[in-house]
Amino acid sequence: RPGAGWLEAIHPDDRERCLGFQARHGDQRQAFSLDYRLRRQDGEYRWFRDTATPRYDSQGRFVGYIDQLIDITDRVEAEREQRELSRKLMLAKQAAEAANVAKSAFLANMSHEIRTPMNAVIGLSQRLLDDDLTPRQGDYLAKIHHSAAALLGLLNDILDYSRIEAGQLRSEALPLRLDTLLTDTLALFGPRAEEKQLALTCDRDPEVPTDLVGDPLRLRQVINNLVGNALKF
């Protein structure tokens, strides 16, 4: 191995590490390898893998090492770029997770805040429907009531997204009347159908039972989405 010339050619940041490694392993007279930067004649530092193999004479006496230097600069730079890419991906993943947490918290808070006045609209409109009203007033108020209920369902949908991300979404098993859900859907989408000059009617097969057990909110979501998409497209 070259002496002072080799040492001077080593990158200053690698010099102490190389000397320490050589001091620990050189006297053991065993093969070893070490990666470090060497300065070329043009002044550029390149990464090399220095593989040292012990050499013995014909009498079996140790006479030194044979070094083999392989330029590994391209591989070192590729590994560095891969580590940097992994670091950036990890930071982006952490930022996305933090954004999802903030979004879920916002959706949950907003849905709760809006549901309070919406429940008041539904409750007051229901009380007004129990009063003496003209047919036109009753029709308008019923549509207001059903629309408010549909909007409350939409707010529940928004809350569901935050529950899904938190893994807390649960389906319920409650008594429900299918005819009531279908009537509510007709009342909700009837005005939109009239605007498009479409006939929106409900024809339920008599063999389909009207008293069921299930999740009325989820079933209402499915029916409303199907009818809403039908009217839209």
Side-chain angles (χ1 to χ4, degrees):
R1 179 193 304 278
W6 168 78
L7 185 60
E8 292 176 358
I10 297 177
H11 194 285
D13 293 341
D14 300 336
R15 196 168 297 162
E16 183 177 351
R17 177 170 58 85
C18 289
L19 290 176
F21 188 90
Q22 186 182 36
R24 291 192 303 272
H25 298 278
D27 295 337
Q28 297 178 6
R29 300 179 181 180
Q30 296 178 351
F32 64 88
S33 64
L34 177 64
D35 297 343
Y36 55 87
R37 286 164 289 184
L38 276 177
R39 186 181 66 248
R40 300 193 312 184
Q41 291 183 351
D42 59 4
E44 179 187 0
Y45 281 99
R46 303 279 294 182
W47 279 96
F48 287 89
R49 170 154 294 176
D50 186 349
T51 301
T53 304
R55 179 186 176 191
Y56 299 89
D57 62 14
S58 58
Q59 281 75 39
R61 292 173 296 188
F62 174 76
V63 295
Y65 282 93
I66 299 177
D67 284 333
Q68 181 183 23
L69 292 176
I70 300 177
D71 191 326
I72 60 171
T73 304
D74 292 342
R75 188 179 71 184
V76 171
E77 292 180 351
E79 291 174 350
R80 182 185 298 114
E81 292 176 357
Q82 183 62 40
R83 288 194 299 270
E84 180 63 17
L85 178 59
S86 298
R87 186 186 69 85
K88 291 181 178 179
L89 290 175
M90 179 59 67
L91 292 176
K93 180 176 179 292
Q94 293 173 350
E97 290 174 347
N100 282 334
V101 171
K103 181 188 68 177
S104 297
F106 171 78
L107 291 176
N109 291 334
M110 287 302 297
S111 61
H112 282 300
E113 292 293 330
I114 300 176
R115 281 198 300 178
T116 299
M118 189 55 59
N119 281 323
V121 172
I122 294 173
L124 292 174
S125 61
Q126 182 61 57
R127 293 188 62 181
L128 289 174
L129 285 172
D130 296 334
D131 293 341
D132 293 332
L133 302 172
T134 66
R136 173 175 289 186
Q137 290 173 334
D139 179 60
Y140 288 165
L141 193 57
K143 290 178 178 179
I144 292 175
H145 178 78
H146 291 309
S147 296
L151 181 56
L152 180 60
L154 177 60
L155 295 175
N156 288 329
D157 289 347
I158 295 174
L159 183 59
D160 282 347
Y161 285 117
S162 61
R163 289 175 176 170
I164 290 173
E165 291 182 347
Q168 298 176 351
L169 184 64
R170 299 290 185 271
S171 295
E172 300 186 60
L174 302 173
L176 62 89
R177 289 190 60 83
L178 182 59
D179 285 347
T180 301
L181 294 180
L182 297 176
T183 300
D184 291 345
T185 299
L186 288 176
L188 175 63
F189 292 98
R192 188 186 305 178
E194 292 178 2
E195 292 177 359
K196 293 194 172 187
Q197 298 181 347
L198 297 174
L200 180 60
T201 60
C202 178
D203 185 11
R204 179 175 61 84
D205 192 315
E207 295 184 1
V208 177
T210 183
D211 293 315
L212 304 172
V213 174
D215 193 323
L217 175 60
R218 304 290 177 262
L219 183 55
R220 188 188 303 272
Q221 290 172 340
V222 172
I223 295 174
N224 288 349
N225 285 336
L226 289 173
V227 175
N229 287 335
L231 291 176
K232 180 177 180 181
F233 298 107

